[in-house]
Amino acid sequence: AQSVTQPDIHITVSEGASLELRCNYSYGATPYLFWYVQSPGQGLQLLLKYFSGDTLVQGIKGFEAEFKRSQSSFNLRKPSVHWSDAAEYFCAVAIPGYNKLIFGAGTRLAVHP
Amino acid sequence: EAGVTQFPSHSVIEKGQTVTLRCDPISGHDNLYWYRRVMGKEIKFLLHFVKESKQDESGMPNNRFLAERTGGTYSTLKVQPAELEDSGVYFCASSQVVPGYNEQFFGPGTRLTVL
């Protein structure tokens, strides 16, 4: 069965520091890959997605993610974190031809001033 | 344009009671999905409507859960009778029906607590 692993439950970084959130998936081929963010009281917002092509994907709010087929990974990065980035981040996959999303357990990001 | 809305935002009920959650999708979105996040774990798919038809209900946990989408607009998810393990956050999402992958837009969720 397909699954998504986010090994870090909680991450704390200082404002201005770089960030990398890890995501690994289990699937025999290449799925569609997504990162969502949930701020308090808000719905899940799509940060970026990967379907095919260039393995480095740019998203909103200065985020990027890199797909590495050999590692079955899709890590999210940001070069300089802002206090407003404090939120919970979810990695998700979708199997081509199917609509439902399969999510990881989420990583909660705290940002110190 | 209004996003996906869900009502109520919070619900606290006693075990054995009935609760109905409502989701209003983005206007014109024929796809409607329900997901659930239990106790800080992963968000899990429950079911998928295309208009008023259930396309995939493979994630529904048991027959205490009933989802409807009469008229193909808003959807309700009823839990009857509620059990302690039903506590969690219930998310609704909607998307268009066009060729290729359709981005899902999520609502803020309904936090259900069963005591």
Side-chain angles (χ1 to χ4, degrees):
Chain A
Q2 302 84 30
S3 65
V4 177
T5 301
Q6 293 182 247
D8 305 305
I9 298 173
H10 257 107
I11 284 184
T12 300
V13 299
S14 297
E15 191 168 17
S18 63
L19 172 70
E20 182 169 27
L21 303 183
R22 296 182 290 165
C23 172
N24 291 90
Y25 65 89
S26 173
Y27 178 58
T30 300
Y32 298 150
L33 295 155
F34 307 85
W35 275 99
Y36 284 85
V37 60
Q38 186 182 24
S39 300
Q42 305 295 314
L44 294 161
Q45 181 183 22
L46 181 65
L47 283 176
L48 46 77
K49 59 184 181 283
Y50 174 79
F51 289 175
S52 64
D54 190 346
T55 56
L56 186 62
V57 181
Q58 301 298 318
I60 62 171
K61 304 185 180 187
F63 285 92
E64 66 178 26
E66 185 173 14
F67 168 58
K68 292 186 178 179
R69 185 189 310 273
S70 61
Q71 299 176 20
S72 297
S73 70
F74 189 56
N75 293 350
L76 182 71
R77 301 194 294 245
K78 187 169 186 178
S80 177
V81 171
H82 188 262
W83 63 266
S84 60
D85 293 324
E88 192 156 20
Y89 292 79
F90 295 92
C91 182
V93 304
I95 307 306
Y98 295 87
N99 285 301
K100 67 180 180 185
L101 291 166
I102 301 164
F103 286 88
T107 298
R108 187 171 294 279
L109 173 67
V111 180
H112 278 326
Chain B
E1 181 181 342
V4 176
T5 58
Q6 294 186 244
F7 182 83
S9 57
H10 291 84
S11 180
V12 181
I13 61 172
E14 300 278 338
K15 175 183 172 181
Q17 289 185 321
T18 297
V19 63
T20 299
L21 313 181
R22 173 171 170 144
C23 168
D24 286 79
I26 293 172
S27 177
H29 282 194
D30 287 337
N31 284 321
L32 189 147
Y33 308 83
W34 284 98
Y35 293 84
R36 177 174 75 168
R37 189 183 190 201
V38 173
M39 288 295 290
K41 295 190 176 181
E42 65 272 18
I43 300 168
K44 286 194 171 181
F45 168 82
L46 295 178
L47 88 159
H48 168 209
F49 283 100
V50 179
K51 296 186 179 179
E52 67 275 7
S53 299
K54 292 177 185 175
Q55 185 79 10
D56 180 357
E57 52 184 327
S58 60
M60 294 289 267
N62 51 62
N63 58 11
R64 294 185 294 103
F65 288 75
L66 175 63
E68 294 181 319
R69 194 182 182 195
T70 306
T73 53
Y74 71 91
S75 175
T76 58
L77 180 64
K78 180 190 289 188
V79 186
Q80 179 182 32
E83 298 288 345
L84 299 179
E85 63 264 25
D86 300 331
S87 295
V89 180
Y90 290 76
F91 292 100
C92 177
S94 71
S95 71
Q96 294 178 301
V97 177
V98 293
Y101 184 81
N102 307 144
E103 179 181 342
Q104 296 181 29
F105 295 85
F106 283 80
T110 292
R111 181 174 295 277
L112 175 63
T113 302
V114 183
L115 302 176

